[in-house]
Amino acid sequence: MRKFYTLLLLTFFVFIVSHAQTISGVIIDQETKEKLIGVNIITKDGKGTATDIFGKYILKLEAGNHQITYRYIGYKDIVKDITLKNGQQKIIDIKLKTANEQLSTVVVSAGKFEQNLEEITVSMEVLKPSLIENKNTTDIQTALDQVPGVNITDGQANIRGGSGWSYGAGSRVLVMVDDMPLISGDAGQVQWKLIATENINQVEIIKGASSVLYGSSALNGVINIRTAFPTQKDIDKNTTSLVSRVFPGYTKVNMHFGLIDKPKREELNWNGDKRRAFKGIDFFHAMKLKNLDLSLGGNIFKDDGYRKGEITDRKRFNFGLKYKDRKINGLSYGINGNFLFQSTGSVMIWKSLQEAYTPLGDEVTTTSGDTYNIDPFITYMHGNSRHSLRTRYLKVINDNSTKGKDDGQDNESEIYYTDYQWQKNIDKYNLRITSGITNEIVYARSDLFQGNNSRKNHSLYTQLDKKWNKLNISLGARYEYFSIDSEKNHVVDGDTINHIASGKPVFRTGLNYQVAEYTYIRSSWGQGYRFPSMAELFIVTNQSGLEIYPNPDLKPESGWSAEIGIKQGVRLGNWMGYLDVAGFLMQYDDMMEFTFGQWGNGYGPDNIPETGDEPEMGPFGFKSVNVGKTQISGIELSLTGQGKIIKDLTINILAGYTYMNPISLDLDKIYATDYFGTPLTYRFSSSDTTMLKYRYKHIAKLDAEIVYKKMSLGVSLRYNDFMQNIDNIFTEDFINENYIPGINDAREKFKGGDFIIDIRTGYQINKNIRLGLIINNLLNREYMSRPANMMPQRTFAMQLSMKI
């Protein structure tokens, strides 16, 4: 009897399932035929589902009449009225059409899911690949320098004045590739040269504290570089070429050759009548083999350098594999990798203003070694839920050698990183939940950081994003814990320890309201937290005669940022863009800044002699110290847009102006220190008693490109005002005359600020081949990014791009 009831129940279950009312199908892009992932299928009463990685969907419904909406960001909605009878199963395949009349740019970084740019709650700029390619970008830093409110000094990104100058130690801006951080575990230094510029889909720059979603290094913002496989449309375009017949798919090759012009002043010309040269080639190939997506890329670059001894020889290779499982619907997995082999010379300080392209003491640090990352990942989509596990192994090997120096400058680090993320979209309430857990373990080995050190970072985060009619609301929280263990004991607050640990929760919130068809008002507030890097805590080295000192007493910094902004859509015929105005305010506690002084056995803010005592003179150098409470306020205007003004004439614009007021709110902490009863501004502040060091107050940028038929002409303009405040010891006569000559003369010469012009032109020979000419620093102006660091003179480059 029991078997009979069991069989009866199974029969009943099969009957119910087989006679349930369902709609199902596949959703694709109408033009490219690409299967669309994550399309929302929503009923009028709030039920819904989403397409999987194969573009498939299935939705169970009651018998009767239903109104179904098919919705996907950047595409026109499709609404269908259907009637289902008892047990009926309908197949409805959908072709979505791109919403060309919308102004939308789709971004991911703001909430870790696709959103329209105008609907996010924070300030964000988007850098498109056309600008990166057409400017002959051999290093992504040069393209980022064109973004409003962003400047990069010695490899450190600075957004809206959030950072000064630390020579690559620690970062308040998190640089990522496809949501994965690309920062070394020991120095906290961005691995810019590992980034494959040949395969960039777009670059998303978040301005303001982003620690809730992205962690410690995102205190000042995020730069997320998104790569992508070409669409099926890109591949189909090239199926007739000879190369695509041998290697099915999409291939892109860029080659360039350039010359470095002579400086304007003859005394600066250390290379005689010769022209220094640079040259390179990069390639990218992508293909689809049934359920497998495959990409391969590489770059070879050689640069004689505009400064004496600063020679670069770089080779990079990258690959990507992604497989969509045939048996388990919604499952995909793969592995990405990047490999860099390089030898790069770097100069810290000039010999003098008259020999600005010659290093002080002929000291050129040559860094050679390998840097690589391996990133296995797995993603599973089930209904409206998405699970992803992303992992990374990053190894950085720097073999550093400097003329006349002993060994002990090499460093090596390994990072083991995992990020598990769960995302749930509740269509009925227009609510998206994003939660995750991140773990990072770092091992560093180097005499540079006083032996072997290890670091652990564990964090939990959650963010809620809700859409309520025209209002978007975002709430988030994160808890982060850090610990560092060192094989050497350090004295901290009078105790001898080899373990440092700290943890802190951070929160954020944001609102965005659509006032009119193309008008959006937003406001946001977010906390940030940054734990010091091993370099800031433990580094012991010497650069160009300058000592760099450790500070194991260094405390983590924390802060918050707030802004209110309005984004207005602008449309002129088929030209579409955004005008954005934002006011911002950032405050930091225990901000960390590298400060130049006489440390060691000498004096400094941590070692102030009694009034009247004569201190022992110590070696000059840098040390990272907590400078107390600081504030940065300002306003930013930006304009972005692209499209056709008239037939065959396209104009692309990226422009912006940023005013910043970075000040110290804790003057007696560091920027004003009394040694002998002299004015408090004597040692650590140059010309301004309150302004934070190594920052600008005004930055203005414009990039405009006109494309007419096969011809293009582009211009890039960059302006920054005078860097008012630097370490005062740089400007003292003793230093200026005997140690680093010419800084005061240079500051007087460049007190009007810097105005740099780049131009470029291109000709599309046919649909596959483009020829370009790029001239950077057109007027051959002299300018510094910080004291004693002269930037490149005029350069000329020819570029040949092929898509085959």
Side-chain angles (χ1 to χ4, degrees):
M1 183 63 70
R2 183 180 298 175
K3 292 182 178 179
F4 173 76
Y5 282 124
T6 302
L7 182 60
L8 185 63
L9 286 171
L10 286 173
T11 304
F12 179 73
F13 176 75
V14 171
F15 175 82
I16 292 296
V17 171
S18 64
H19 287 76
Q21 300 77 228
T22 64
I23 59 170
S24 62
V26 177
I27 302 180
I28 64 173
D29 182 297
Q30 179 173 293
E31 182 181 0
T32 68
K33 314 305 179 189
E34 197 82 11
K35 294 172 182 177
L36 299 177
I37 303 171
V39 178
N40 292 314
I41 302 96
I42 307 167
T43 66
K44 196 172 184 179
D45 59 0
K47 294 181 181 179
T49 187
T51 55
D52 61 19
I53 58 175
F54 298 101
K56 296 179 181 179
Y57 75 96
I58 183 168
L59 180 61
K60 295 180 181 179
L61 298 169
E62 296 177 356
N65 298 323
H66 298 275
Q67 186 179 83
I68 311 295
T69 300
Y70 297 84
R71 180 172 295 158
Y72 196 51
I73 290 177
Y75 290 79
K76 291 181 179 179
D77 288 355
I78 289 182
V79 179
K80 286 187 173 291
D81 294 312
I82 65 168
T83 301
L84 289 174
K85 299 177 182 178
N86 286 327
Q88 186 176 11
Q89 298 174 356
K90 279 191 175 183
I91 296 177
I92 305 176
D93 294 331
I94 298 294
K95 296 179 181 179
L96 291 181
K97 184 178 180 181
T98 303
N100 293 322
E101 74 279 3
Q102 294 183 358
L103 299 175
S104 299
T105 294
V106 178
V107 296
V108 173
S109 303
K112 291 199 172 184
F113 65 94
E114 290 189 340
Q115 296 174 275
N116 289 329
L117 177 62
E118 65 270 18
E119 294 182 346
I120 65 176
T121 61
V122 294
S123 282
M124 180 185 285
E125 300 287 353
V126 176
L127 199 60
K128 293 294 187 179
S130 58
L131 177 62
I132 297 169
E133 290 180 8
N134 294 348
K135 283 181 70 69
N136 193 45
T137 302
T138 58
D139 191 324
I140 191 62
Q141 296 176 75
T142 58
L144 288 170
D145 254 336
Q146 202 57 50
V147 176
V150 177
N151 63 284
I152 298 176
T153 304
D154 288 330
Q156 184 185 54
N158 180 346
I159 296 177
R160 292 176 172 175
S163 301
W165 174 42
S166 68
Y167 203 64
S171 179
R172 292 190 186 97
V173 175
L174 179 62
V175 176
M176 303 186 300
V177 176
D178 293 329
D179 295 328
M180 299 286 283
L182 203 64
I183 294 180
S184 65
D186 47 14
Q189 189 173 31
V190 179
Q191 301 302 296
W192 294 107
K193 293 178 175 58
L194 195 58
I195 297 172
T197 55
E198 61 271 13
N199 182 28
I200 293 179
N201 181 41
Q202 68 181 24
V203 182
E204 300 171 1
I205 301 102
I206 300 176
K207 301 176 180 180
S210 304
S211 291
V212 165
L213 278 180
Y214 294 106
S216 172
S217 296
L219 179 65
N220 184 217
V222 169
I223 296 173
N224 190 9
I225 297 159
R226 294 176 54 197
T227 64
F229 288 89
T231 64
Q232 190 65 46
K233 177 181 176 182
D234 292 324
I235 293 175
D236 291 343
K237 279 183 178 179
N238 299 281
T239 54
T240 58
S241 69
L242 178 61
V243 173
S244 65
R245 292 173 188 171
V246 180
F247 302 104
Y250 171 88
T251 303
K252 182 171 65 174
V253 179
N254 288 317
M255 295 177 284
H256 71 270
F257 176 82
L259 295 172
I260 303 170
D261 204 356
K262 294 181 181 179
K264 274 187 176 180
R265 288 188 288 138
E266 184 59 36
E267 61 266 33
L268 293 176
N269 185 17
W270 60 271
N271 199 46
D273 293 331
K274 288 186 177 180
R275 295 287 199 282
R276 309 291 285 179
F278 55 93
K279 54 191 173 184
I281 180 171
D282 61 67
F283 74 92
F284 175 72
H285 178 75
M287 65 175 68
K288 293 178 178 290
L289 302 173
K290 295 184 178 179
N291 286 37
L292 177 67
D293 291 345
L294 169 66
S295 70
L296 298 169
N299 168 264
I300 298 174
F301 178 67
K302 292 188 176 182
D303 184 2
D304 293 338
Y306 69 96
R307 286 188 282 220
K308 186 177 180 180
E310 210 172 48
I311 299 171
T312 296
D313 188 345
R314 184 175 75 220
K315 300 174 183 67
R316 187 184 63 238
F317 170 75
N318 63 83
F319 72 90
L321 293 168
K322 182 178 180 181
Y323 184 77
K324 300 174 184 177
D325 197 280
R326 293 183 177 182
K327 296 181 180 179
I328 303 176
N329 195 23
L331 179 66
S332 63
Y333 40 85
I335 185 169
N336 300 320
N338 289 276
F339 302 85
L340 172 67
F341 313 95
Q342 66 170 334
S343 174
T344 302
S346 61
V347 173
M348 184 176 181
I349 291 176
W350 67 31
K351 189 172 183 180
S352 69
L353 180 59
Q354 284 68 42
E355 296 179 89
Y357 298 113
T358 302
L360 180 66
D362 286 331
E363 277 198 12
V364 179
T365 299
T366 301
T367 300
S368 59
D370 307 334
T371 301
Y372 57 88
N373 65 278
I374 303 292
D375 303 342
F377 64 89
I378 184 169
T379 302
Y380 177 61
M381 295 180 63
H382 179 68
N384 286 351
S385 295
R386 179 178 179 271
H387 302 265
S388 69
L389 176 64
R390 303 184 69 89
T391 65
R392 163 163 290 174
Y393 173 73
L394 172 64
K395 185 160 188 175
V396 179
I397 303 173
N398 290 325
D399 296 326
N400 300 314
S401 62
T402 305
K403 179 182 176 182
K405 281 193 178 181
D406 297 330
D407 294 335
Q409 303 298 306
D410 301 341
N411 62 293
E412 179 180 312
S413 67
E414 294 175 288
I415 293 179
Y416 297 87
Y417 177 90
T418 63
D419 178 57
Y420 166 73
Q421 184 186 115
W422 170 74
Q423 200 167 82
K424 174 73 172 180
N425 189 20
I426 305 175
D427 295 319
K428 185 175 181 179
Y429 301 105
N430 280 327
L431 176 67
R432 188 181 296 264
I433 305 170
T434 303
S435 294
I437 180 170
T438 300
N439 295 282
E440 183 183 63
I441 299 175
V442 177
Y443 298 104
R445 296 171 289 276
S446 173
D447 291 339
L448 194 66
F449 306 121
Q450 303 187 58
N452 296 338
N453 302 289
S454 63
R455 189 191 75 189
K456 295 179 181 178
N457 172 216
H458 309 291
S459 59
L460 293 165
Y461 61 89
T462 294
Q463 180 160 303
L464 306 178
D465 291 276
K466 172 158 177 74
K467 187 175 180 63
W468 191 356
N469 295 323
K470 296 183 178 182
L471 178 66
N472 288 279
I473 305 171
S474 183
L475 298 169
R478 184 186 190 100
Y479 181 80
E480 200 152 29
Y481 174 81
F482 281 90
S483 66
I484 285 184
D485 292 283
S486 174
E487 71 172 359
K488 179 179 178 179
N489 290 326
H490 303 274
V491 177
V492 178
D493 294 331
D495 296 327
T496 301
I497 64 172
N498 62 0
H499 176 80
I500 303 171
S502 179
K504 187 180 179 68
V506 292
F507 304 92
R508 74 167 300 270
T509 183
L511 301 172
N512 182 299
Y513 183 71
Q514 184 178 1
V515 180
E517 185 177 6
Y518 294 133
T519 306
Y520 300 81
I521 295 176
R522 69 181 183 277
S523 65
S524 64
W525 174 87
Q527 292 178 307
Y529 171 73
R530 186 172 81 87
F531 193 80
S533 66
M534 293 180 188
E536 292 165 302
L537 290 166
F538 305 134
I539 190 169
V540 177
T541 188
N542 181 290
Q543 285 283 337
S544 300
L546 299 176
E547 298 293 331
I548 301 179
Y549 295 95
N551 185 7
D553 277 310
L554 201 60
K555 303 295 188 295
E557 61 183 355
S558 59
W560 56 267
S561 68
E563 76 161 11
I564 184 168
I566 181 169
K567 187 180 291 289
Q568 176 62 56
V570 180
R571 182 165 184 166
L572 299 172
N574 289 323
W575 190 90
M576 298 170 287
Y578 294 110
L579 177 64
D580 193 283
V581 181
F584 57 88
L585 176 66
M586 298 178 276
Q587 284 194 359
Y588 299 96
D589 294 317
D590 290 322
M591 176 179 263
M592 292 179 266
E593 293 272 85
F594 266 88
T595 297
F596 189 19
Q598 289 177 287
W599 306 90
N601 295 325
Y603 49 81
D606 296 339
N607 181 19
I608 303 172
E610 296 294 330
T611 302
D613 292 348
E614 188 68 25
E616 179 184 350
M617 296 295 286
F620 293 105
F622 285 95
K623 181 179 180 180
S624 186
V625 296
N626 295 112
V627 300
K629 194 167 187 176
T630 61
Q631 176 179 289
I632 304 165
S633 58
I635 188 169
E636 186 170 78
L637 294 84
S638 65
L639 174 66
T640 60
Q642 59 184 10
K644 293 183 183 296
I645 298 295
I646 58 174
K647 183 181 179 182
D648 296 328
L649 180 64
T650 299
I651 297 181
N652 304 319
I653 291 177
L654 173 63
Y657 163 74
T658 309
Y659 166 76
M660 299 153 288
N661 185 31
I663 61 173
S664 171
L665 300 178
D666 203 354
L667 295 179
D668 60 352
K669 179 73 175 178
I670 180 66
Y671 276 15
T673 303
D674 187 354
Y675 299 109
F676 316 110
T678 54
L680 293 180
T681 59
Y682 179 60
R683 284 286 169 183
F684 292 92
S685 180
S686 176
S687 58
D688 191 300
T689 59
T690 61
M691 185 173 175
L692 301 181
K693 295 177 298 184
Y694 304 107
R695 289 159 169 93
Y696 305 114
K697 278 199 169 184
H698 304 274
I699 296 177
K701 299 181 180 182
L702 167 67
D703 186 271
E705 183 176 60
I706 299 173
V707 181
Y708 179 70
K709 294 184 177 179
K710 295 185 177 182
M711 291 290 298
S712 67
L713 177 65
V715 60
S716 297
L717 310 176
R718 297 184 302 279
Y719 168 79
N720 58 261
D721 66 333
F722 180 60
M723 188 179 284
Q724 297 180 26
N725 200 11
I726 64 174
D727 286 292
N728 192 47
I729 202 165
F730 263 133
T731 66
E732 291 183 355
D733 291 338
F734 172 76
I735 294 290
N736 214 270
E737 293 174 6
N738 300 291
Y739 199 69
I740 311 174
I743 290 181
N744 283 340
D745 292 338
R747 287 175 63 77
E748 178 64 25
K749 181 176 182 178
F750 303 136
K751 65 182 180 182
D754 305 314
F755 181 65
I756 308 301
I757 303 174
D758 304 332
I759 63 169
R760 61 187 184 274
T761 184
Y763 181 73
Q764 194 73 38
I765 297 174
N766 56 42
K767 69 175 184 178
N768 294 326
I769 301 176
R770 183 182 184 276
L771 188 65
L773 170 66
I774 302 96
I775 304 176
N776 291 330
N777 193 1
L778 177 67
L779 303 180
N780 206 13
R781 290 179 61 98
E782 295 177 27
Y783 67 108
M784 299 186 300
S785 65
R786 44 85 177 168
N789 183 52
M790 194 73 85
M791 297 301 285
Q793 56 265 45
R794 180 167 48 215
T795 62
F796 305 88
M798 291 292 297
Q799 180 189 54
L800 178 65
S801 301
M802 296 181 289
K803 296 179 181 179
I804 50 181

